[in-house]
């Protein structure tokens, strides 16, 4: 399980990493240096923007896509364009966690410090202190144990090029024989199973990492195997007005899903990026099979990012544009990386109302030290 999954909403492509605070909740990154003094509802940079590798605020972090905070207060930053994963220590030092900057796969079975990675787009941590790296260039998901040894746990390194059909791309077979195609994001459930937003395969897949058969969203998965639970490999066309909403998840289509989150109740939230909608399968690990809208409207992108995008309405009446990340906190509040609108959006868990919590809708970098809603994001 992610130790701090709220950090995954930093999937907004950016040259910098922002630290937005609403009250005492750190929404994007818990700054390792000085964030405790940051004023509520403001945004500030904690890393990136320069060319000096060891100094956080002067480091070059090209295209960061994910941030994770561990139990010791260290931040792990996936910057795929650099072919590195960086570590911002709680004491304020920025260093390479893995990667040599070469952009290819090597090092399984050895120390993480000597391994190379391709394009790591997501980093998560389970309750045992294992880290999981999602490498879209190498079509692999790799695990780093607490003693620092790295190994591939899902994927054989081959990109799947079979778009449609059942039991393709290694489905219904061992996880290490699976083929992936830009697996942008993953999530873990309480049992350690891996949920994969297999973006270019237009599928949501589950790797059963346990010792017995499981049923997720109505799909049975043998232990040690991988299987698709949503999507048939074809992007949902504009002519399909629902893409399967309010029906069985196994019959639904998705379009370049880029984010996924599993809460403690076993509900699966999907950032269905190309369809401009966040979708949910309630109780998916305990018999739930129906996929429904959570936020946004199918195929309806917000026409003007600097407009309200239907802020103040029920989330399913709100408008998103290419959302790439979703997280729910323990109170049921939702946080959406509304990438195409250059905003971070918030869904109130009590009344389901959606609003903007950061960003004006204008693409850019501006507003550090000021109110989050007045900042520009990129």
């Amino acid at each position: 399980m992610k130790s701090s999954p709220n950090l995954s909403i930093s999937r907004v492509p950016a040259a910098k990493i922002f630290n937005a605070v609403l009250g005492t909740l750190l929404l994007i990154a818990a700054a390792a240096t000085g964030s405790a003094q940051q004023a509520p509802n403001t945004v500030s940079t904690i890393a990136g923007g320069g060319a000096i590798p060891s100094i956080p605020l002067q480091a070059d972090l090209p295209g960061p896509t994910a941030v994770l905070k561990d139990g010791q207060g260290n931040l792990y930053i996936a910057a795929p364009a650099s072919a590195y994963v960086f570590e911002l220590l709680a004491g304020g030092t920025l260093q390479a966690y893995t990667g040599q900057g070469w952009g290819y796969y090597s090092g399984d079975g050895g120390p993480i410090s000597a391994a190379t990675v391709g394009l790591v787009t997501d980093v998560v941590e389970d309750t045992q202190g294992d880290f999981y790296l999602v490498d879209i260039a190498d079509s692999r998901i790799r695990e780093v144990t607490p003693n620092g040894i790295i190994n591939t746990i899902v994927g054989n390194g081959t990109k799947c090029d079979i778009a449609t059909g059942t039991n393709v791309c290694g489905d219904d077979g061992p996880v290490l024989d699976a083929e992936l195609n830009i697996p942008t994001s993953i999530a873990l459930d309480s049992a350690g199973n891996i949920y994969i937003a297999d973006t270019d395969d237009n599928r949501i897949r589950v790797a059963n990492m346990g010792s017995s058969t499981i049923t997720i969203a109505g799909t049975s998965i043998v232990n040690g195997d991988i299987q698709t639970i949503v999507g048939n490999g074809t992007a949902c066309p504009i002519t399909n007005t629902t893409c399967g909403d309010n029906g069985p998840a196994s019959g639904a289509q998705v379009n370049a899903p880029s984010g996924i989150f599993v809460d403690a109740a076993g509900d699966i939230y999907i950032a269905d990026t190309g369809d401009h909608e966040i979708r949910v399968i309630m109780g998916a690990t305990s018999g739930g099979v129906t996929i429904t809208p959570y936020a946004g409207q199918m195929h309806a992108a917000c026409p003007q990012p600097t407009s309200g995008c239907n802020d103040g309405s029920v989330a399913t009446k709100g408008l998103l544009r290419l959302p790439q990340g979703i997280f729910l906190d323990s109170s049921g509040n939702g946080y959406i990386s509304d990438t195409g609108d250059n905003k971070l959006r918030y869904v109130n868990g009590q009344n389901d109302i959606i609003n903007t919590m950061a960003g004006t809708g204008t693409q850019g970098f501006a507003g550090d030290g000021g109110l989050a809603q007045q900042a520009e994001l990129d």
Side-chain angles (χ1 to χ4, degrees):
M1 183 179 297
K2 295 182 181 180
S3 64
S4 187
N6 51 313
L7 302 180
S8 68
I9 63 172
S10 62
R11 191 167 307 286
V12 178
K16 304 199 176 194
I17 297 172
F18 296 96
N19 182 25
V21 182
L22 297 183
T24 58
L25 176 63
L26 302 183
L27 294 175
I28 303 181
T33 55
S35 67
Q37 288 75 44
Q38 183 170 331
N41 306 309
T42 62
V43 63
S44 64
T45 299
I46 59 169
I52 302 176
S54 61
I55 302 176
L57 287 174
Q58 297 183 42
D60 181 18
L61 297 175
T65 55
V67 182
L68 171 76
K69 182 186 178 186
D70 69 13
Q72 287 71 51
N74 305 307
L75 301 182
Y76 298 83
I77 304 165
S82 69
Y84 282 98
V85 176
F86 292 97
E87 182 179 22
L88 178 55
L89 299 177
T93 299
L94 185 71
Q95 62 188 27
Y97 173 66
T98 190
Q100 306 295 325
W102 299 333
Y104 62 83
Y105 154 80
S106 72
D108 269 5
I112 182 67
S113 59
T116 62
V117 294
L119 306 175
V120 174
T121 55
D122 203 5
V123 184
V124 303
E125 183 186 15
D126 67 18
T127 56
Q128 306 304 310
D130 301 298
F131 285 83
Y132 299 81
L133 311 180
V134 180
D135 192 338
I136 62 172
D138 297 319
S139 301
R140 297 172 184 267
I141 297 168
R142 303 170 77 180
E143 178 187 33
V144 184
T145 61
N147 61 356
I149 302 301
I150 188 170
N151 276 296
T152 297
I153 57 170
V154 180
N156 64 7
T158 301
K159 183 176 291 186
C160 182
D161 59 3
I162 303 173
T164 60
T166 58
N167 294 342
V168 299
C169 304
D171 271 357
D172 202 29
V175 294
L176 286 173
D177 291 341
E179 297 177 359
L180 307 170
N181 195 345
I182 315 296
T184 308
S185 178
I186 65 170
L188 307 177
D189 65 17
S190 59
N193 301 306
I194 303 174
Y195 297 70
I196 305 166
D198 198 359
T199 305
D200 278 17
D201 281 329
N202 295 298
R203 300 172 185 269
I204 301 298
R205 306 171 75 183
V206 177
N208 182 350
M209 308 305 289
S211 58
S212 59
T213 298
I214 57 175
T215 299
I216 306 294
T219 297
S220 180
I221 309 168
V222 174
N223 56 296
D225 279 8
I226 189 171
Q227 188 58 268
T228 294
I229 63 167
V230 182
N232 63 5
T234 300
C236 184
I238 194 73
T239 53
N240 185 338
T241 58
T242 68
C243 298
D245 272 350
N246 301 308
S250 59
Q253 289 180 280
V254 289
N255 186 349
S258 299
I260 190 162
F261 177 77
V262 181
D263 68 14
D267 307 323
I268 302 173
Y269 294 82
I270 301 164
D272 191 358
T273 305
D275 288 324
H276 311 294
E277 187 176 80
I278 305 295
R279 308 168 76 179
V280 62
I281 310 166
M282 302 297 291
T285 62
S286 55
V289 300
T290 303
I291 189 168
T292 60
Y294 171 75
Q297 301 180 48
M298 183 61 64
H299 301 312
C302 181
Q304 177 52 259
T306 54
S307 71
C309 299
N310 287 1
D311 271 354
S313 64
V314 174
T316 52
K317 298 297 183 181
L319 293 174
L320 307 173
R321 179 182 288 272
L322 303 175
Q324 291 189 318
I326 174 65
F327 162 73
L328 269 74
D329 65 23
S330 59
S331 297
N333 302 305
Y335 304 86
I336 299 168
S337 174
D338 191 4
T339 307
D341 287 323
N342 305 300
K343 296 180 178 182
L344 298 177
R345 310 284 290 279
Y346 169 81
V347 179
N348 188 307
Q350 297 298 312
N351 57 22
D352 296 328
I353 299 299
I354 189 169
N355 277 295
T356 296
M357 67 178 192
T360 63
T362 298
Q363 184 178 11
F365 172 71
D368 260 14
L371 294 176
Q373 290 182 337
Q374 296 176 9
E376 294 179 4
L377 307 177
D378 185 356

